[in-house]
Amino acid sequence: MTGTITAFNPLDLSHTDDPYPRLAALRRDRPVSTPLPGWHVVVRDADVRAVLAAPEVWSSRRNNTSVPETPEADRELALSQLDPPAHTRLRRLLSPAFARTVVAELESVVRERAGALAGRLEDGGDLVAAFAAPLPRAVLAAFCGVGDGDAAEYDRWAAGFTDLLGHRARPEWPAFERWALRAAEGRAMGGVLGRLDRTEAVTFLHFLIVAGVPNLRHALGNLVLRLLREEHWRAEGLPEAIEESLRLDPPALWQMRTATRDTVLADTPVRAGERVIAVVASANRDPARWGEDADAFRPGRPGLRAHLAFGKGPHACLGASLTRLQLRVAAEVLIERYPGLRLASDFRFRRAGDFMSRGPAALPVHVE
């Protein structure tokens, strides 16, 4: 029986375009599969949580096999690429900028930027291009203290930086680095960047763009699509609907870790140095955690905020509060301005994103 189930290959776009039927079959019959030599895919909630919560066994740093393990090299790695204690130190320094009380002060900025973009949405236009894509760039610019003189260049960086690897070879990197160093010396993010080494500060600002802009775009597109399809286009119960959208349609499908030693995961031997793909998109729909209606949109379900869209353990998303704020305010602005918003009759889901991420490439809508 289990031999007939096709494994989930995280590097195959045909698997990640519509991953959920395949992942459901694996949850039932093959909780750990091996689509590639030395790569193991875990799909059940309990196993995914176990991987994400134990960096001493499942390393993020060792994913970077081409980067030497030295303090100097660590300073050029993103927060998501580090293990404790380097990760613990850096996260502790940055956390004050992402406190809920600090993020809450951005609400007026988010509402103003969202209102301006919503006002330019045209009947029959693409909501992703007009709203979901530019809003995260605009909000992050405010968060990072981008001045008017840098706005045009910043917008190009935010649109073009999509990968944590190879960025220093890009022709625009020197200009970005000069801006990032100025930002680190100022009051951006409450001045916390000044507590970092200069290289660490530049690396983190790059990481904010790479992680924050596309993931928020996908999360916002997924949310609008989910609310419209579920006929939940209303402000009532919006925070719960946002959490349910994040559970069902996380913008990041999976996370990778590397085994630090020979071990066993869900009765499957894993050797030191082998990769483990923890599929949070599958864990978020595991009936063992979420009930037999795990694939259904039910905003009132118990324990909803325990979903894994923001990860778990040391690498739980530092910007979760900022993401939730943007999703709520953006949805409120759109619902208030366009209470009759609907998808174009010929809409067909077309996926945007890389191997790890998923959201609508376009959302043609009619405004009323």
Side-chain angles (χ1 to χ4, degrees):
M1 172 74 179
T2 59
T4 64
I5 300 172
T6 304
F8 175 80
N9 184 347
L11 304 183
D12 186 340
L13 286 176
S14 70
H15 288 200
T16 55
D17 276 343
D18 183 16
Y20 296 107
R22 186 187 306 269
L23 293 171
L26 289 172
R27 279 197 307 271
R28 288 192 304 267
D29 300 311
R30 200 194 299 179
V32 181
S33 58
T34 306
L36 299 166
W39 289 58
H40 306 281
V41 172
V42 294
V43 293
R44 291 182 180 172
D45 176 86
D47 299 327
V48 170
R49 290 176 188 272
V51 168
L52 299 184
E56 70 279 5
V57 182
W58 310 107
S59 167
S60 298
R61 178 62 176 83
R62 296 193 185 185
N63 293 342
N64 307 286
T65 54
S66 63
V67 182
E69 294 196 27
T70 65
E72 292 75 18
D74 280 357
R75 285 196 286 272
E76 294 188 0
L77 289 176
L79 190 65
S80 63
Q81 297 173 302
L82 295 171
D83 287 335
H87 174 272
T88 306
R89 167 191 159 273
L90 190 57
R91 186 175 176 115
R92 185 181 298 120
L93 292 172
L94 291 164
S95 290
F98 294 88
R100 290 183 184 179
T101 53
V102 175
V103 168
E105 296 175 0
L106 276 174
E107 178 161 350
S108 61
V109 174
V110 179
R111 196 170 296 277
E112 183 273 327
R113 305 289 168 90
L117 292 169
R120 295 198 286 268
L121 185 60
E122 297 179 354
D123 189 58
D126 175 14
L127 189 140
V128 170
F131 188 85
L135 181 62
R137 299 200 299 265
V139 173
L140 192 58
F143 185 62
C144 293
V146 177
D148 292 342
D150 296 308
E153 274 197 300
Y154 164 84
D155 206 53
R156 287 194 291 273
W157 301 326
F161 286 161
T162 59
D163 201 316
L164 289 175
L165 303 175
H167 47 276
R168 284 178 167 77
R170 296 176 67 102
E172 63 268 43
W173 180 258
F176 172 80
E177 188 171 38
R178 287 192 295 273
W179 166 78
L181 289 171
R182 293 201 310 273
E185 293 170 355
R187 296 299 303 165
M189 296 175 53
V192 300
L193 293 175
R195 305 173 190 171
L196 274 55
D197 171 274
R198 287 164 62 88
T199 301
E200 288 176 329
V202 173
T203 298
F204 183 71
L205 285 169
H206 173 256
F207 170 65
L208 265 187
I209 290 175
V210 172
V213 172
N215 277 340
L216 199 283
R217 167 193 166 169
H218 297 323
L220 184 50
N222 288 337
L223 174 63
V224 171
L225 180 57
R226 178 65 62 175
L227 295 180
L228 292 175
R229 282 183 161 172
E230 301 287 350
E231 299 183 357
H232 200 283
W233 193 248
R234 57 183 182 273
E236 179 186 359
L238 188 55
E240 293 79 12
I242 288 170
E243 298 302 324
E244 185 72 332
S245 176
L246 287 166
R247 182 186 72 84
L248 287 168
D249 307 301
L253 298 173
W254 50 269
Q255 297 184 28
M256 185 170 75
R257 299 291 189 268
T258 300
T260 61
R261 58 178 183 258
D262 292 354
T263 187
V264 175
L265 179 61
D267 299 324
T268 301
V270 179
R271 298 182 64 82
E274 292 186 334
R275 311 293 196 192
V276 169
I277 302 298
V279 188
V280 298
S282 177
N284 277 354
R285 295 185 180 216
D286 188 345
R289 173 100 187 183
W290 301 104
E292 291 306 312
D293 67 343
D295 286 324
F297 178 78
R298 183 160 65 88
R301 70 176 67 243
L304 187 51
R305 286 173 71 98
H307 62 73
L308 295 174
F310 294 119
K312 183 176 176 60
H315 284 287
C317 179
L318 188 60
S321 293
L322 182 57
T323 297
R324 286 184 166 112
L325 174 72
Q326 291 184 76
L327 291 175
R328 175 180 60 79
V329 173
E332 287 173 350
V333 167
L334 287 172
I335 291 168
E336 180 179 3
R337 190 175 189 102
Y338 302 114
L341 190 78
R342 56 188 173 85
L343 290 168
S345 59
D346 60 349
F347 170 75
R348 298 291 182 273
F349 181 88
R350 188 165 48 85
R351 177 262 188 87
D354 56 18
F355 295 107
M356 296 182 67
S357 59
R358 187 172 184 270
L363 285 175
V365 293
H366 291 297
V367 298
E368 297 178 358

PDB file of all heavy atoms in Angstrom, residues 16-35:
ATOM      1  N   THR A  16       4.439  21.203  -5.668  1.00  0.00           N
ATOM      2  CA  THR A  16       4.106  22.316  -4.778  1.00  0.00           C
ATOM      3  C   THR A  16       3.015  23.236  -5.336  1.00  0.00           C
ATOM      4  O   THR A  16       2.497  24.073  -4.608  1.00  0.00           O
ATOM      5  CB  THR A  16       5.366  23.152  -4.466  1.00  0.00           C
ATOM      6  OG1 THR A  16       5.970  23.577  -5.685  1.00  0.00           O
ATOM      7  CG2 THR A  16       6.369  22.335  -3.672  1.00  0.00           C
ATOM      8  N   ASP A  17       2.656  23.079  -6.609  1.00  0.00           N
ATOM      9  CA  ASP A  17       1.566  23.890  -7.152  1.00  0.00           C
ATOM     10  C   ASP A  17       0.270  23.633  -6.399  1.00  0.00           C
ATOM     11  O   ASP A  17      -0.444  24.554  -6.020  1.00  0.00           O
ATOM     12  CB  ASP A  17       1.369  23.595  -8.645  1.00  0.00           C
ATOM     13  CG  ASP A  17       2.316  24.409  -9.513  1.00  0.00           C
ATOM     14  OD1 ASP A  17       2.876  25.398  -9.005  1.00  0.00           O
ATOM     15  OD2 ASP A  17       2.497  24.057 -10.680  1.00  0.00           O
ATOM     16  N   ASP A  18      -0.067  22.354  -6.204  1.00  0.00           N
ATOM     17  CA  ASP A  18      -1.242  21.962  -5.425  1.00  0.00           C
ATOM     18  C   ASP A  18      -0.822  20.797  -4.533  1.00  0.00           C
ATOM     19  O   ASP A  18      -1.059  19.625  -4.850  1.00  0.00           O
ATOM     20  CB  ASP A  18      -2.403  21.559  -6.336  1.00  0.00           C
ATOM     21  CG  ASP A  18      -3.657  21.207  -5.536  1.00  0.00           C
ATOM     22  OD1 ASP A  18      -3.715  21.557  -4.336  1.00  0.00           O
ATOM     23  OD2 ASP A  18      -4.563  20.574  -6.110  1.00  0.00           O
ATOM     24  N   PRO A  19      -0.177  21.079  -3.415  1.00  0.00           N
ATOM     25  CA  PRO A  19       0.468  20.023  -2.636  1.00  0.00           C
ATOM     26  C   PRO A  19      -0.463  19.207  -1.753  1.00  0.00           C
ATOM     27  O   PRO A  19      -0.085  18.121  -1.294  1.00  0.00           O
ATOM     28  CB  PRO A  19       1.458  20.797  -1.764  1.00  0.00           C
ATOM     29  CG  PRO A  19       0.798  22.125  -1.554  1.00  0.00           C
ATOM     30  CD  PRO A  19       0.074  22.418  -2.857  1.00  0.00           C
ATOM     31  N   TYR A  20      -1.678  19.692  -1.500  1.00  0.00           N
ATOM     32  CA  TYR A  20      -2.459  19.157  -0.386  1.00  0.00           C
ATOM     33  C   TYR A  20      -2.982  17.735  -0.570  1.00  0.00           C
ATOM     34  O   TYR A  20      -2.933  16.943   0.383  1.00  0.00           O
ATOM     35  CB  TYR A  20      -3.566  20.145  -0.024  1.00  0.00           C
ATOM     36  CG  TYR A  20      -2.961  21.447   0.470  1.00  0.00           C
ATOM     37  CD1 TYR A  20      -2.981  22.594  -0.309  1.00  0.00           C
ATOM     38  CD2 TYR A  20      -2.305  21.497   1.693  1.00  0.00           C
ATOM     39  CE1 TYR A  20      -2.375  23.769   0.133  1.00  0.00           C
ATOM     40  CE2 TYR A  20      -1.695  22.653   2.146  1.00  0.00           C
ATOM     41  CZ  TYR A  20      -1.737  23.792   1.357  1.00  0.00           C
ATOM     42  OH  TYR A  20      -1.127  24.932   1.794  1.00  0.00           O
ATOM     43  N   PRO A  21      -3.461  17.317  -1.730  1.00  0.00           N
ATOM     44  CA  PRO A  21      -3.868  15.901  -1.863  1.00  0.00           C
ATOM     45  C   PRO A  21      -2.714  14.932  -1.641  1.00  0.00           C
ATOM     46  O   PRO A  21      -2.852  13.912  -0.960  1.00  0.00           O
ATOM     47  CB  PRO A  21      -4.404  15.831  -3.299  1.00  0.00           C
ATOM     48  CG  PRO A  21      -4.839  17.224  -3.613  1.00  0.00           C
ATOM     49  CD  PRO A  21      -3.848  18.108  -2.923  1.00  0.00           C
ATOM     50  N   ARG A  22      -1.556  15.251  -2.187  1.00  0.00           N
ATOM     51  CA  ARG A  22      -0.380  14.399  -2.018  1.00  0.00           C
ATOM     52  C   ARG A  22       0.030  14.339  -0.548  1.00  0.00           C
ATOM     53  O   ARG A  22       0.352  13.283  -0.008  1.00  0.00           O
ATOM     54  CB  ARG A  22       0.763  14.946  -2.880  1.00  0.00           C
ATOM     55  CG  ARG A  22       2.007  14.079  -2.903  1.00  0.00           C
ATOM     56  CD  ARG A  22       3.130  14.802  -3.651  1.00  0.00           C
ATOM     57  NE  ARG A  22       2.716  15.221  -4.977  1.00  0.00           N
ATOM     58  CZ  ARG A  22       2.868  14.491  -6.068  1.00  0.00           C
ATOM     59  NH1 ARG A  22       3.427  13.300  -5.980  1.00  0.00           N
ATOM     60  NH2 ARG A  22       2.478  14.960  -7.241  1.00  0.00           N
ATOM     61  N   LEU A  23       0.032  15.497   0.120  1.00  0.00           N
ATOM     62  CA  LEU A  23       0.433  15.541   1.527  1.00  0.00           C
ATOM     63  C   LEU A  23      -0.549  14.787   2.414  1.00  0.00           C
ATOM     64  O   LEU A  23      -0.153  14.135   3.383  1.00  0.00           O
ATOM     65  CB  LEU A  23       0.552  16.998   1.981  1.00  0.00           C
ATOM     66  CG  LEU A  23       1.693  17.794   1.338  1.00  0.00           C
ATOM     67  CD1 LEU A  23       1.590  19.274   1.697  1.00  0.00           C
ATOM     68  CD2 LEU A  23       3.054  17.239   1.757  1.00  0.00           C
ATOM     69  N   ALA A  24      -1.833  14.851   2.085  1.00  0.00           N
ATOM     70  CA  ALA A  24      -2.831  14.116   2.867  1.00  0.00           C
ATOM     71  C   ALA A  24      -2.580  12.612   2.773  1.00  0.00           C
ATOM     72  O   ALA A  24      -2.684  11.886   3.774  1.00  0.00           O
ATOM     73  CB  ALA A  24      -4.230  14.463   2.378  1.00  0.00           C
ATOM     74  N   ALA A  25      -2.255  12.118   1.577  1.00  0.00           N
ATOM     75  CA  ALA A  25      -1.965  10.692   1.409  1.00  0.00           C
ATOM     76  C   ALA A  25      -0.732  10.286   2.204  1.00  0.00           C
ATOM     77  O   ALA A  25      -0.698   9.222   2.837  1.00  0.00           O
ATOM     78  CB  ALA A  25      -1.790  10.377  -0.074  1.00  0.00           C
ATOM     79  N   LEU A  26       0.284  11.130   2.196  1.00  0.00           N
ATOM     80  CA  LEU A  26       1.498  10.823   2.954  1.00  0.00           C
ATOM     81  C   LEU A  26       1.240  10.842   4.457  1.00  0.00           C
ATOM     82  O   LEU A  26       1.783  10.009   5.193  1.00  0.00           O
ATOM     83  CB  LEU A  26       2.595  11.817   2.589  1.00  0.00           C
ATOM     84  CG  LEU A  26       3.188  11.664   1.186  1.00  0.00           C
ATOM     85  CD1 LEU A  26       4.122  12.829   0.876  1.00  0.00           C
ATOM     86  CD2 LEU A  26       3.933  10.341   1.051  1.00  0.00           C
ATOM     87  N   ARG A  27       0.437  11.783   4.934  1.00  0.00           N
ATOM     88  CA  ARG A  27       0.111  11.809   6.366  1.00  0.00           C
ATOM     89  C   ARG A  27      -0.528  10.493   6.793  1.00  0.00           C
ATOM     90  O   ARG A  27      -0.266   9.975   7.878  1.00  0.00           O
ATOM     91  CB  ARG A  27      -0.822  12.971   6.697  1.00  0.00           C
ATOM     92  CG  ARG A  27      -0.159  14.300   6.856  1.00  0.00           C
ATOM     93  CD  ARG A  27      -1.067  15.295   7.570  1.00  0.00           C
ATOM     94  NE  ARG A  27      -2.377  15.405   6.948  1.00  0.00           N
ATOM     95  CZ  ARG A  27      -2.694  16.244   5.963  1.00  0.00           C
ATOM     96  NH1 ARG A  27      -1.753  17.051   5.468  1.00  0.00           N
ATOM     97  NH2 ARG A  27      -3.912  16.283   5.464  1.00  0.00           N
ATOM     98  N   ARG A  28      -1.389   9.962   5.964  1.00  0.00           N
ATOM     99  CA  ARG A  28      -2.083   8.719   6.305  1.00  0.00           C
ATOM    100  C   ARG A  28      -1.147   7.518   6.303  1.00  0.00           C
ATOM    101  O   ARG A  28      -1.219   6.672   7.192  1.00  0.00           O
ATOM    102  CB  ARG A  28      -3.216   8.453   5.305  1.00  0.00           C
ATOM    103  CG  ARG A  28      -4.425   9.363   5.440  1.00  0.00           C
ATOM    104  CD  ARG A  28      -5.590   8.834   4.610  1.00  0.00           C
ATOM    105  NE  ARG A  28      -5.231   8.665   3.199  1.00  0.00           N
ATOM    106  CZ  ARG A  28      -5.423   9.602   2.271  1.00  0.00           C
ATOM    107  NH1 ARG A  28      -5.948  10.769   2.613  1.00  0.00           N
ATOM    108  NH2 ARG A  28      -5.077   9.377   1.015  1.00  0.00           N
ATOM    109  N   ASP A  29      -0.272   7.436   5.308  1.00  0.00           N
ATOM    110  CA  ASP A  29       0.409   6.168   5.060  1.00  0.00           C
ATOM    111  C   ASP A  29       1.930   6.204   5.067  1.00  0.00           C
ATOM    112  O   ASP A  29       2.567   5.162   5.155  1.00  0.00           O
ATOM    113  CB  ASP A  29      -0.047   5.607   3.708  1.00  0.00           C
ATOM    114  CG  ASP A  29      -1.538   5.350   3.673  1.00  0.00           C
ATOM    115  OD1 ASP A  29      -2.044   4.711   4.609  1.00  0.00           O
ATOM    116  OD2 ASP A  29      -2.202   5.811   2.722  1.00  0.00           O
ATOM    117  N   ARG A  30       2.531   7.382   4.929  1.00  0.00           N
ATOM    118  CA  ARG A  30       3.998   7.443   4.918  1.00  0.00           C
ATOM    119  C   ARG A  30       4.453   8.754   5.541  1.00  0.00           C
ATOM    120  O   ARG A  30       4.813   9.697   4.839  1.00  0.00           O
ATOM    121  CB  ARG A  30       4.533   7.317   3.500  1.00  0.00           C
ATOM    122  CG  ARG A  30       6.005   6.898   3.485  1.00  0.00           C
ATOM    123  CD  ARG A  30       6.671   7.096   2.131  1.00  0.00           C
ATOM    124  NE  ARG A  30       6.060   6.332   1.073  1.00  0.00           N
ATOM    125  CZ  ARG A  30       6.461   6.370  -0.204  1.00  0.00           C
ATOM    126  NH1 ARG A  30       7.476   7.137  -0.547  1.00  0.00           N
ATOM    127  NH2 ARG A  30       5.853   5.657  -1.123  1.00  0.00           N
ATOM    128  N   PRO A  31       4.470   8.844   6.879  1.00  0.00           N
ATOM    129  CA  PRO A  31       4.780  10.118   7.547  1.00  0.00           C
ATOM    130  C   PRO A  31       6.178  10.643   7.274  1.00  0.00           C
ATOM    131  O   PRO A  31       6.422  11.831   7.396  1.00  0.00           O
ATOM    132  CB  PRO A  31       4.572   9.812   9.027  1.00  0.00           C
ATOM    133  CG  PRO A  31       4.650   8.325   9.131  1.00  0.00           C
ATOM    134  CD  PRO A  31       4.127   7.782   7.838  1.00  0.00           C
ATOM    135  N   VAL A  32       7.108   9.756   6.917  1.00  0.00           N
ATOM    136  CA  VAL A  32       8.445  10.186   6.497  1.00  0.00           C
ATOM    137  C   VAL A  32       8.730   9.530   5.150  1.00  0.00           C
ATOM    138  O   VAL A  32       8.661   8.307   5.022  1.00  0.00           O
ATOM    139  CB  VAL A  32       9.534   9.792   7.514  1.00  0.00           C
ATOM    140  CG1 VAL A  32      10.901  10.278   7.032  1.00  0.00           C
ATOM    141  CG2 VAL A  32       9.233  10.367   8.888  1.00  0.00           C
ATOM    142  N   SER A  33       9.013  10.334   4.146  1.00  0.00           N
ATOM    143  CA  SER A  33       9.335   9.809   2.822  1.00  0.00           C
ATOM    144  C   SER A  33      10.690  10.350   2.386  1.00  0.00           C
ATOM    145  O   SER A  33      11.209  11.313   2.962  1.00  0.00           O
ATOM    146  CB  SER A  33       8.252  10.189   1.801  1.00  0.00           C
ATOM    147  OG  SER A  33       8.106  11.598   1.724  1.00  0.00           O
ATOM    148  N   THR A  34      11.258   9.727   1.361  1.00  0.00           N
ATOM    149  CA  THR A  34      12.600  10.106   0.888  1.00  0.00           C
ATOM    150  C   THR A  34      12.553  10.323  -0.618  1.00  0.00           C
ATOM    151  O   THR A  34      12.825   9.402  -1.392  1.00  0.00           O
ATOM    152  CB  THR A  34      13.629   9.017   1.253  1.00  0.00           C
ATOM    153  OG1 THR A  34      13.563   8.762   2.658  1.00  0.00           O
ATOM    154  CG2 THR A  34      15.041   9.459   0.904  1.00  0.00           C
ATOM    155  N   PRO A  35      12.201  11.546  -1.051  1.00  0.00           N
ATOM    156  CA  PRO A  35      12.066  11.801  -2.487  1.00  0.00           C
ATOM    157  C   PRO A  35      13.400  11.886  -3.216  1.00  0.00           C
ATOM    158  O   PRO A  35      13.464  11.696  -4.424  1.00  0.00           O
ATOM    159  CB  PRO A  35      11.349  13.146  -2.530  1.00  0.00           C
ATOM    160  CG  PRO A  35      11.766  13.836  -1.273  1.00  0.00           C
ATOM    161  CD  PRO A  35      11.880  12.731  -0.247  1.00  0.00           C
TER     162      PRO A  35
END
